[in-house]
Amino acid sequence: MRGKRTATGAALVAGAPLAVTGLAFAPTAAGVTPQSATITANCGIFGGGAATLTATQSGGSATLTLTSTAIKTPVAVAQDSIASTLTMVRASGGTAVFSGTKNPAMAGGAAVTVGPLSGTVASGDSLEAYGGSLKMVIFGITVTCTASAKQSPGPFVFD
């Protein structure tokens, strides 16, 4: 009985470095880099300033969420009542569109959050907010925001 335990223990010890080596070379999960970026947005009479874009990816689908304490809602809005379309510029040419009606309830004059907005991406897509736009339709009024410079730290690159 003692010989079996020793042999089993030796096999486990010998296999441990192989398991650790396997973990070191395991592939990482697909995703987007960076996961968030900052832009300076201009929304005309509705304000402007710093905004954060947060990206997620699952295969060929991606979502983007915009949050900003500098951009304010003109009136109180109910949850999921803002129709938003975010157009991003592809480095390879053309645009990628993310859209949806996802937003939290917001009081008049509150900071804006829209998203997650859904869109389709391809492996290797590099998307930039500068040159694109965010259009939000609130009670029939269209608010258009544009980035005044490139996003920081850089474009979103999708796996």
Side-chain angles (χ1 to χ4, degrees), residues 9-94:
L12 288 173
V13 171
L18 293 175
V20 172
T21 302
L23 288 174
F25 292 108
T28 58
V32 58
T33 306
Q35 292 181 334
S36 68
T38 303
I39 62 169
T40 301
N42 178 352
C43 301
I45 62 170
F46 299 103
T52 301
L53 288 168
T54 304
T56 63
Q57 180 184 6
S58 178
S61 298
T63 63
L64 288 172
T65 300
L66 178 133
T67 56
S68 175
T69 56
I71 304 167
K72 308 292 184 186
T73 60
V75 295
V77 293
Q79 180 177 346
D80 299 337
S81 64
I82 301 174
S84 302
T85 304
L86 175 63
T87 304
M88 302 285 285
V89 176
R90 279 191 168 98
S92 61

Side-chain angles (χ1 to χ4, degrees), residues 5 9 12-13 15 25 30 37 39 55 61 83 92 96 108 114 123 128 138 144 152:
R5 276 190 254 164
L12 288 173
V13 171
F25 292 108
I39 62 169
S61 298
S92 61
V114 293
S123 180
E128 167 69 55
I138 307 166
T144 302
S152 176

Side-chain angles (χ1 to χ4, degrees), residues 4 12 23 62 66 81 86 112 116 124 129 133 139 142-143:
K4 284 185 181 180
L12 288 173
L23 288 174
L66 178 133
S81 64
L86 175 63
V112 168
S133 65
F139 301 120
T142 301
V143 177

